[in-house]
């Protein structure tokens, strides 16, 4: 019984934690790229596509072949969405796409947080490229992205750190 409850408890924030860490790390990288003049939205999207979607497409295809998960004409749609546990890669790619578009359009964080929270609460299902899951998890990604620029050690008085 203890293992059952620990499993359910840890699973309740496991995926959110991965999304949060990804947003936090990207929030550290993006300002550095911009400062060095290395930021180009098309190049960023291309890199993320190669790093997330290509493995998802490749291994989803392999998964379907090995485990006979094909469904006729719906098979390409399943591959694009990530078969089985590979749904996470298109979801993470969608989070990066949303963030890059928000950054490009200069939408204020308060508005983004409000709408991401709203979209995370609306039950959406079956949207392509796992956009339904992007809506569910983007709030974690974005809050971590925003929080990455805050150095908490600067906010704590030195006497308490010692």
């Amino acid at each position: 019984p203890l293992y059952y409850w620990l499993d359910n408890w840890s699973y309740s924030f496991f995926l959110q934690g991965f999304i949060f860490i990804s947003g936090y790390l990207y929030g550290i990288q993006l300002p550095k790229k911009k400062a060095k003049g290395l930021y180009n939205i098309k190049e960023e999207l291309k890199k993320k596509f190669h790093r997330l979607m290509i493995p998802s497409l490749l291994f989803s295809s392999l998964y379907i072949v090995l485990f006979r998960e094909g469904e006729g004409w719906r098979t390409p749609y399943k591959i694009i969405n990530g078969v089985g546990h590979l749904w996470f890669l298109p979801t993470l790619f969608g989070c990066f796409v949303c963030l890059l578009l928000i950054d490009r359009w200069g939408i204020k964080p308060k508005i983004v947080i409000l709408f991401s929270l709203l979209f995370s609460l609306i039950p959406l299902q079956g949207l392509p490229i796992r956009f339904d899951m992007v809506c569910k998890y983007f709030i974690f990604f974005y809050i971590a992205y925003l929080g990455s620029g805050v150095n908490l050690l600067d906010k704590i008085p030195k006497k308490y750190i010692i």
Side-chain angles (χ1 to χ4, degrees), residues 35-86:
K36 292 179 181 177
L38 301 173
Y39 175 74
N40 178 331
I41 191 167
K42 288 180 183 177
E43 287 300 314
E44 287 295 311
L45 287 172
K46 189 192 259 185
K47 284 180 192 175
K48 294 304 174 190
F49 185 84
H50 285 288
R51 195 164 281 192
L52 296 168
M53 288 303 293
I54 297 295
S56 177
L57 295 169
L58 177 70
F59 288 109
S60 289
S61 300
L62 189 62
Y63 189 99
I64 282 178
V65 169
L66 291 175
F67 298 106
R68 294 181 169 79
E69 292 284 327
E71 293 182 11
W73 64 274
R74 287 185 47 89
T75 301
Y77 183 75
K78 284 182 77 171
I79 291 171
I80 290 169
N81 282 323
V83 179
H85 63 282
L86 295 167

Side-chain angles (χ1 to χ4, degrees), residues 7-19:
D7 180 48
N8 284 332
W9 176 76
S10 66
Y11 190 73
S12 68
F13 61 84
F14 187 68
L15 294 171
Q16 293 88 338
F18 276 121
I19 295 280

Side-chain angles (χ1 to χ4, degrees), residues 1-9:
L2 177 62
Y3 178 73
Y4 171 80
W5 289 108
L6 285 174
D7 180 48
N8 284 332
W9 176 76

Side-chain angles (χ1 to χ4, degrees), residues 127-150:
L127 297 176
I129 313 176
R130 297 289 180 176
F131 195 71
D132 51 343
M133 300 306 278
V134 172
C135 290
K136 182 178 178 181
Y137 290 107
F138 183 73
I139 186 82
F140 301 102
F141 188 86
Y142 190 69
I143 288 174
Y145 170 79
L146 291 177
S148 66
V150 178

